[in-house]
Amino acid sequence: MHIEFLLEEESAEAALHVLLPKLLAPDVTYQCYPHRGKTDLLQRLPGRLKNYARRLPQEPGLRVVILMDADTDCRRRKAELEKIVAEAGLLTKTTAGSEQPYHTITRLAMQELEAWFLGDREAIQAAYPRVRPQHFSGLPHDPDTIADTWETLWRVLQEGGYYRTGKAKIEWAETIAPHLNPERNMSASFQYFRQGLAQLQ
């Protein structure tokens, strides 16, 4: 099996390159395709998906995962993605019947990808040892309920003495992701992503 991941930005690619070996079977290969933000991904998606629809008869082991930030409206974003996939002639787990095979899944990082990092506070502290438990004070248990996730992660890191002069989203992904423990992550959207991958394999 080979899975191709269509991503919103390079920070997602940086995180997945570390996370996917923990989430995929050893014999599964993958390739990540980051885009220049949500608009770029949405514009390119119909053409890319139609290409996958043409390839699938010759490549039955091909699978496609679309991962995007939900931002403020999860249901609307999910429906938008499912519609684009259907128009390309592909089935997702959502649109396939119980006995129909599907080759594509759509997954959303609730609000933003940084919620997945905030879902594992031990990983953040391992990556940035000056971050202390009190720096998470006041944050909800479920990071998917935080509206401004990357700003919140940046604030936590700044309180620990890191990144006082500027954000570094790709570097955060590269630094925190190696310490993430999929099983303890409190982000429901991360667990939904993890379950989707398990069912796709």
Side-chain angles (χ1 to χ4, degrees):
M1 179 178 294
H2 176 74
I3 305 178
E4 302 209 344
F5 292 82
L6 305 181
L7 309 171
E8 187 174 320
E9 58 186 8
E10 291 182 356
S11 61
E13 179 186 31
L16 289 190
H17 273 314
V18 178
L19 276 171
L20 289 176
K22 301 178 184 179
L23 302 176
L24 299 176
D27 59 340
V28 175
T29 61
Y30 68 89
Q31 181 72 42
C32 293
Y33 295 97
H35 292 72
R36 296 191 301 274
K38 186 177 280 78
T39 300
D40 182 42
L41 174 56
L42 288 172
Q43 287 177 343
R44 294 172 181 267
L45 202 49
R48 285 191 177 275
L49 291 174
K50 288 175 183 173
N51 183 48
Y52 287 129
R54 286 191 291 269
R55 289 170 54 188
L56 270 169
Q58 288 76 43
E59 302 175 58
L62 176 64
R63 302 290 183 271
V64 180
V65 175
I66 306 165
L67 176 64
M68 179 182 287
D69 292 348
D71 295 334
T72 56
D73 192 337
C74 176
R75 290 184 178 179
R76 184 181 65 81
R77 188 67 69 195
K78 179 78 171 176
E80 181 180 20
L81 289 179
E82 293 287 334
K83 181 173 183 287
I84 294 172
V85 174
E87 288 175 347
L90 296 170
L91 291 174
T92 66
K93 184 178 187 304
T94 303
T95 58
S98 59
E99 301 298 323
Q100 288 180 292
Y102 60 91
H103 302 87
T104 304
I105 60 172
T106 60
R107 286 294 181 267
L108 298 169
M110 192 55 66
Q111 300 301 336
E112 297 166 328
L113 185 70
E114 285 74 17
W116 292 7
F117 305 148
L118 288 166
D120 189 344
R121 297 177 184 182
E122 290 179 48
I124 294 173
Q125 290 181 265
Y128 297 99
R130 295 197 301 274
V131 172
R132 299 285 185 263
Q134 60 267 28
H135 296 148
F136 299 100
S137 178
L139 296 185
H141 181 75
D142 180 359
D144 288 343
T145 64
I146 300 172
D148 51 350
T149 48
W150 75 258
E151 293 93 337
T152 299
L153 175 61
W154 189 15
R155 178 184 58 74
V156 168
L157 296 175
Q158 286 180 309
E159 290 181 6
Y162 301 94
Y163 303 103
R164 294 192 184 280
T165 59
K167 65 178 181 178
K169 296 178 73 173
I170 295 175
E171 186 173 319
W172 300 343
E174 292 172 339
T175 308
I176 296 170
H179 301 281
L180 290 175
N181 181 332
E183 294 184 358
R184 74 182 173 209
N185 200 300
M186 297 183 294
S187 165
S189 65
F190 173 79
Q191 293 301 340
Y192 195 48
F193 174 76
R194 179 185 173 207
Q195 292 166 9
L197 284 185
Q199 294 166 346
L200 192 63
Q201 296 176 63

